[in-house]
Amino acid sequence: FKENRKDDIWLVDFYAPWCGHCKKLEPVWNEVGIEMKNMGSPVRVGKMDATSFSSIASEFGVRGYPTIKLLKGDLAYNYRGPRTKDDIVEFANRVAGPLIRPLPSQHMFEHVRKRHRVLFVYVGGESPLKEKYIEVASELIVYTYFFSASEDVLPEYVTLPEFPAVVVFKDGTYFVYDEYEDGDLSSWINRERFQVYLHVDGFTLYELGDTGKLVAIAVIDDKNSSVEHTRLKSIIQEVARDYRDHFHRDFQFGHMDGNDYINSLLMDDITIPTVVVLNTSNQQYFLPDRHIENTEDMVQFINNILDGTAEAQGGDGLLQRIKRIIYDAKSTVVSVFKSSPLLGCFLFGLPLGVISIMCYGICTADTDGGVDEHEAAKKETGDQELTDEGSEEEQEEEKNGKYTELSDGELKQKDVMAKKKD
């Protein structure tokens, strides 16, 4: 594979056998392979155990599992979207095709316009702007399509101040790239590749992090048709539409169904419906200090964030990281007990029970050992005292006996000396 991969376009799933997410992706991946084959796509679909072929996985920068990459020549494109068959197939077809797709007629333009919610088009001939457009397309093709067309292909309502030009069609209208106002072309396309108002989920929020924008979200319950839920959603939509020129460079607008995902991000329980503004770059968030009653209240809240008067909460500091670790651990324990109480008792109760018994045994062993050692020392000391006393008596008796023996000897010696003298 390593030697011949450049001969074909490959869509590869780098997985680990023990990874739960990889096992969940496996049936979807099989469907992707069947779909691509039935379509007659030139893309070959495969999967590789990254733990067995770690050198190849490292070469392609695989750091987590599963990792989906499309390999095209010397380039490797990461897939970061939802792990569904349709989304993965659409990604493969988009990246495997040409970077810039020509639109030869108005009919083709209208056909493509209906299929894509966001459409980038280069209008004009050869120019430095086109070279830059191609360069940006090679980088951002993983997110969106890039097209080119001549002036007569565009609808009559489109008026361009000059040529060449880059135009984005979305939200029922179009916007023209201005180098002086919009800055770098890559940054502009990255900001404009989303509609002004979105239904936000976890994957969308992850992608919005690359735009550098703050994300203003109405957290509601889509199944709840009460006035409060629909009103808050309408307020966000009106601000996104009517104040685009004021806020579109700094804000992305949308709504999210339910508060479970937001609660995990904020590490707090928020009551819905509500409004929250997220800074995905540093994990800060802003909550309104008063109830949002109308569009004016929402505009004031956004302006307070822009001028720095709104209080930022959260962040990625040390205390927040510690709080995140504790929160994740707590969430894991709670989720295990909710899904399977018996399993939770086994996983957490058994280790705690074993540790408790060990601690009790250690403490008990230390106490008994100390008493036994003390008694043994006391007994040994007593025996030693007794032994010492017996030795002194014996020594006294020995001394007395020796004195007696020596005294008799001396008397005998005196008698002998007396006889000799006589």
Side-chain angles (χ1 to χ4, degrees):
F1 169 77
K2 184 177 180 180
E3 295 175 355
N4 302 320
R5 72 169 185 84
K6 294 184 181 180
D7 297 337
D8 298 288
I9 301 175
W10 280 92
L11 182 66
V12 183
D13 167 28
F14 293 91
Y15 72 96
W18 43 260
C19 172
H21 294 291
C22 301
K23 294 177 182 178
K24 187 176 180 180
L25 176 64
E26 187 172 356
V28 177
W29 196 251
N30 292 334
E31 293 178 3
V32 170
I34 295 172
E35 181 73 11
M36 299 298 287
K37 184 177 180 180
N38 293 338
M39 293 171 57
S41 172
V43 178
R44 301 185 66 180
V45 181
K47 60 181 181 179
M48 178 177 288
D49 183 350
T51 60
S52 298
F53 303 97
S54 56
S55 60
I56 297 180
S58 299
E59 179 182 342
F60 291 115
V62 176
R63 298 180 179 177
Y65 310 111
T67 294
I68 299 173
K69 288 180 177 283
L70 188 133
L71 310 178
K72 183 180 179 182
D74 293 324
L75 301 175
Y77 297 92
N78 288 332
Y79 176 70
R80 299 170 60 183
R83 291 168 186 160
T84 64
K85 183 198 74 173
D86 293 338
D87 288 300
I88 296 174
V89 168
E90 198 270 341
F91 162 81
N93 290 331
R94 180 174 68 247
V95 180
L99 284 177
I100 311 298
R101 301 168 188 253
L103 299 175
S105 64
Q106 289 187 356
H107 176 74
M108 181 60 71
F109 176 87
E110 292 299 332
H111 173 72
V112 172
R113 180 75 181 88
K114 291 178 182 178
R115 288 189 58 194
H116 300 281
R117 297 176 179 177
V118 180
L119 186 69
F120 290 97
V121 182
Y122 172 83
V123 184
E126 299 297 326
S127 68
L129 181 61
K130 185 175 182 179
E131 295 177 2
K132 181 65 176 177
Y133 184 72
I134 294 173
E135 180 184 340
V136 174
S138 66
E139 175 189 355
L140 301 180
I141 189 68
V142 293
Y143 299 121
T144 187
Y145 287 90
F146 293 87
F147 297 89
S148 64
S150 58
E151 182 183 1
D152 56 351
V153 170
L154 300 180
E156 296 181 356
Y157 64 83
V158 178
T159 58
L160 302 179
E162 60 181 3
F163 294 97
V166 178
V167 188
V168 58
F169 294 86
K170 66 176 185 178
D171 302 320
T173 184
Y174 67 94
F175 306 96
V176 183
Y177 167 68
D178 188 325
E179 182 178 2
Y180 298 102
E181 292 186 2
D182 299 318
D184 181 64
L185 178 62
S186 178
S187 300
W188 179 78
I189 291 178
N190 200 31
R191 291 195 305 267
E192 296 292 344
R193 62 186 176 91
F194 295 99
Q195 293 178 282
V196 68
Y197 184 89
L198 298 170
H199 181 186
V200 179
D201 56 17
F203 281 105
T204 307
L205 195 60
Y206 180 70
E207 287 191 13
L208 288 172
D210 294 335
T211 66
K213 292 183 178 182
L214 300 176
V215 186
I217 304 174
V219 186
I220 61 173
D221 182 0
D222 277 339
K223 297 179 181 179
N224 192 326
S225 58
S226 64
V227 176
E228 184 64 18
H229 286 257
T230 56
R231 182 184 62 82
L232 201 57
K233 181 178 177 180
S234 299
I235 289 175
I236 300 292
Q237 288 176 326
E238 290 177 13
V239 173
R241 182 185 66 246
D242 299 339
Y243 292 85
R244 171 189 158 82
D245 293 339
H246 296 85
F247 301 137
H248 82 280
R249 285 185 175 85
D250 302 303
F251 281 85
Q252 175 67 50
F253 298 91
H255 77 275
M256 179 173 283
D257 182 20
N259 62 347
D260 291 340
Y261 191 82
I262 291 294
N263 287 344
S264 66
L265 288 180
L266 274 55
M267 295 181 288
D268 195 3
D269 294 329
I270 62 173
T271 304
I272 58 176
T274 189
V275 173
V276 59
V277 176
L278 302 173
N279 187 340
T280 55
S281 63
N282 60 7
Q283 300 181 16
Q284 286 185 340
Y285 63 92
F286 302 86
L287 296 174
D289 56 359
R290 59 179 179 175
H291 191 63
I292 303 295
E293 295 287 348
N294 48 46
T295 304
E296 288 72 21
D297 290 341
M298 188 64 200
V299 171
Q300 182 62 46
F301 176 44
I302 294 176
N303 284 327
N304 291 341
I305 295 174
L306 290 176
D307 61 27
T309 57
E311 180 185 359
Q313 303 181 51
D316 54 2
L318 179 61
L319 292 178
Q320 286 298 123
R321 293 178 184 179
I322 296 174
K323 184 179 178 181
R324 168 63 62 185
I325 294 173
I326 297 174
Y327 179 85
D328 290 342
K330 179 181 176 182
S331 300
T332 301
V333 173
V334 172
S335 63
V336 169
F337 275 98
K338 282 185 177 181
S339 60
S340 179
L342 293 177
L343 179 61
C345 293
F346 177 78
L347 291 178
F348 299 102
L350 181 61
L352 290 175
V354 172
I355 293 173
S356 300
I357 293 173
M358 291 175 62
C359 292
Y360 175 78
I362 292 171
C363 295
T364 306
D366 286 343
T367 303
D368 294 342
V371 172
D372 293 341
E373 184 178 352
H374 178 70
E375 291 178 353
K378 185 176 180 181
K379 182 178 180 181
E380 184 179 354
T381 304
D383 293 343
Q384 183 66 33
E385 291 175 353
L386 291 174
T387 303
D388 292 343
E389 291 176 359
S391 298
E392 290 176 357
E393 291 176 356
E394 290 174 1
Q395 289 174 3
E396 186 67 25
E397 289 177 358
E398 265 182 13
K399 185 177 180 181
N400 294 334
K402 186 177 179 181
Y403 176 77
T404 304
E405 290 176 358
L406 291 174
S407 300
D408 292 340
E410 289 176 354
L411 293 173
K412 290 179 180 180
Q413 188 175 5
K414 288 180 178 179
D415 291 337
V416 173
M417 291 299 294
K419 288 179 181 181
K420 284 182 179 181
K421 186 178 179 180
D422 293 337

